[in-house]
Amino acid sequence: MSNDAAGRQTRFIVLLAALVALGPLSIDGYLPGLPDLAGDLRASAAATQLTITACLAGLAIGQLIAGPLSDIYGRRRPLLAGLALYTIASALCAVAPDVRTFVGLRLVQGIGGAFGIVIANAMVRDRTSGTRTARLFSALTLITGLAPVFAPVLGGQLLRVTAWPGIFVGLAVLGAVMLAASAAGLPETRSSAPRQPLLAVVGQLLSDRVFTGYVLANGLVFAAMFAYISGSPFVLQEIHGLSPQQYSAVFAVNAAGLIAAAQISGRLVARAGARVLLLAGLLGATAGGTTVLAAVLTRAPLPALLIGLFVLVSSVGLVMPNAAAQALALADHGGHAGSAAALLGFSQFMIGGALAPLAGAGGATDALPMGITVAVLPALALLTLGVLTRSMPGERTRRPARQGPAGHRRPRRHIDRRRAGIQ
């Protein structure tokens, strides 16, 4: 590959990574200012946490819209429309007069941000195949996990010089920059295709038991992380007395653990296999969540709680990059890459949006709901993965004909998923 071609490829990947990060950054970049936001908008803790749920729901719904549209009309036009919607909604969030309006705008902001996530994943599938596809999906999945963890760190630093509305002004500027960069630097990677009924495509994807197992397991772990993210501002700042900057430092330490786990995974995946590392991540998340619950129940000192949270978040670095959803499932459904990415993202953010508010059920002074939520969800993910992705006696799975980057069909092969390392 020439230097010029390599440079174009690098810019393409960096831009896709930024698109993937945009939605998650919106979820919790303002978390350090959540208590101040509640005071300014005269909102209860439950209503304030609903602003997180609204963004998660928007990210879920938006992906379900964006994926099929990008399969039908190509990638660029839906992407640019979504980024424009995101930019406008972010700017309006900064001037919302009350919490009800703010919640509605957060829903719209999430819908706009979802277009970047699902279309970036679909573009990777359009342009690559085989092992390279898996590696790039792992990188984008890692960014999806890292962005929500780093966002509060950035938000905490912004709060040194501005109030919480300034964070949304910053997100609006970021959205405008991404809109301009995408218009100038992202080529069309898929031509328009005949319209196919969405329900038929979804039914085809969900009929794959293994696909469904990875989607649900990944979504439950993602929900556990967001239960921690949505509940921790109140648990760590209101109950344990951390400042916004100290709270941001906790997130930075957890982010370091997640990065370290992901790097270890990248070094070991060829030797140990993706499934082994995925199971290790699920076991670690379960252990971390259980430690958090035990610390809450026994009123243990703050370090015990922080250790549990560190293990929980670090384990996500093993779960998500090992393609529990995107890398493995999308590889099997290349003919509907946008729709498959949409269904994966929809499940991930919808499960997170539905279950994360459980962490705030006790208000701002009770950590028990967060402890129960982060302990139960990874255990459910482990159980789901074991039940739905285990091979039945004598079972062999027929993989559909796969397509290369240029749309050329590859020969259909019969593969034992267990022996292929993708069960």
Side-chain angles (χ1 to χ4, degrees), residues 142 145-146 148-150 152-153 225 228-229 232 236 246-262 292 303 305-317:
L142 176 60
L146 282 175
V149 180
F150 275 121
V153 179
M225 186 173 73
Y228 143 69
I229 288 173
S232 61
L236 296 180
Q246 290 172 325
Y247 171 76
S248 298
V250 169
F251 267 81
V253 172
N254 289 340
L258 193 154
I259 293 172
V292 170
L305 177 64
L306 295 181
I307 289 172
L309 294 176
F310 176 80
V311 174
L312 171 69
V313 176
S314 297
S315 298
V316 176

Side-chain angles (χ1 to χ4, degrees), residues 164-263:
W164 64 266
I167 295 175
F168 288 93
V169 172
L171 290 173
V173 171
L174 181 60
V177 170
M178 293 305 304
L179 176 60
S182 298
L186 278 183
E188 179 58 70
T189 60
R190 177 181 175 87
S191 60
S192 299
R195 181 184 298 271
Q196 293 182 290
L198 176 60
L199 291 179
V201 174
V202 171
Q204 176 184 337
L205 294 171
L206 293 181
S207 65
D208 186 333
R209 177 171 56 85
V210 177
F211 176 93
T212 304
Y214 282 119
V215 166
L216 293 177
N218 186 64
L220 289 167
V221 170
F222 201 75
M225 186 173 73
F226 274 101
Y228 143 69
I229 288 173
S230 65
S232 61
F234 296 98
V235 172
L236 296 180
Q237 293 186 76
E238 300 293 332
I239 297 177
H240 289 280
L242 298 187
S243 68
Q245 287 70 41
Q246 290 172 325
Y247 171 76
S248 298
V250 169
F251 267 81
V253 172
N254 289 340
L258 193 154
I259 293 172
Q263 289 181 333

Side-chain angles (χ1 to χ4, degrees), residues 55-65 110 114 342 345-350:
C55 189
L56 287 169
L59 286 167
I61 296 168
Q63 290 188 66
L64 203 60
I65 296 170
F346 173 81
S347 301
Q348 179 172 291
F349 285 103
M350 184 56 74

Side-chain angles (χ1 to χ4, degrees), residues 38-290:
D40 290 347
L41 299 182
R42 299 180 180 178
S44 65
T48 304
Q49 289 181 334
L50 187 60
T51 67
I52 300 172
T53 301
C55 189
L56 287 169
L59 286 167
I61 296 168
Q63 290 188 66
L64 203 60
I65 296 170
L69 286 178
S70 73
D71 280 342
I72 296 168
Y73 299 111
R75 311 302 186 201
R76 274 179 58 88
R77 286 185 293 170
L79 175 62
L80 298 180
L83 289 173
L85 181 65
Y86 173 88
T87 301
I88 294 170
S90 298
L92 292 176
C93 281
V95 294
D98 54 60
V99 71
R100 185 173 300 178
T101 303
F102 186 77
V103 168
L105 289 170
R106 288 281 285 166
L107 177 67
V108 177
Q109 184 190 39
I111 291 173
F115 277 65
I117 297 173
V118 68
I119 292 176
N121 284 323
M123 281 183 163
V124 169
R125 187 63 183 89
D126 292 339
R127 294 283 293 267
T128 63
S129 60
T131 303
R132 182 162 178 77
T133 299
R135 286 200 301 264
L136 287 179
F137 272 130
S138 295
L140 295 184
T141 302
L142 176 60
I143 291 167
T144 303
L146 282 175
V149 180
F150 275 121
V153 179
L154 299 176
Q157 297 307 310
L158 278 176
L159 288 176
R160 291 178 177 271
V161 297
T162 185
W164 64 266
I167 295 175
F168 288 93
V169 172
L171 290 173
V173 171
L174 181 60
V177 170
M178 293 305 304
L179 176 60
S182 298
L186 278 183
E188 179 58 70
T189 60
R190 177 181 175 87
S191 60
S192 299
R195 181 184 298 271
Q196 293 182 290
L198 176 60
L199 291 179
V201 174
V202 171
Q204 176 184 337
L205 294 171
L206 293 181
S207 65
D208 186 333
R209 177 171 56 85
V210 177
F211 176 93
T212 304
Y214 282 119
V215 166
L216 293 177
N218 186 64
L220 289 167
V221 170
F222 201 75
M225 186 173 73
F226 274 101
Y228 143 69
I229 288 173
S230 65
S232 61
F234 296 98
V235 172
L236 296 180
Q237 293 186 76
E238 300 293 332
I239 297 177
H240 289 280
L242 298 187
S243 68
Q245 287 70 41
Q246 290 172 325
Y247 171 76
S248 298
V250 169
F251 267 81
V253 172
N254 289 340
L258 193 154
I259 293 172
Q263 289 181 333
I264 291 171
S265 172
R267 292 178 180 274
L268 295 181
V269 67
R271 185 185 312 167
R275 184 175 176 85
V276 170
L277 294 174
L278 172 60
L279 290 172
L282 291 174
L283 288 170
T286 302
T290 302

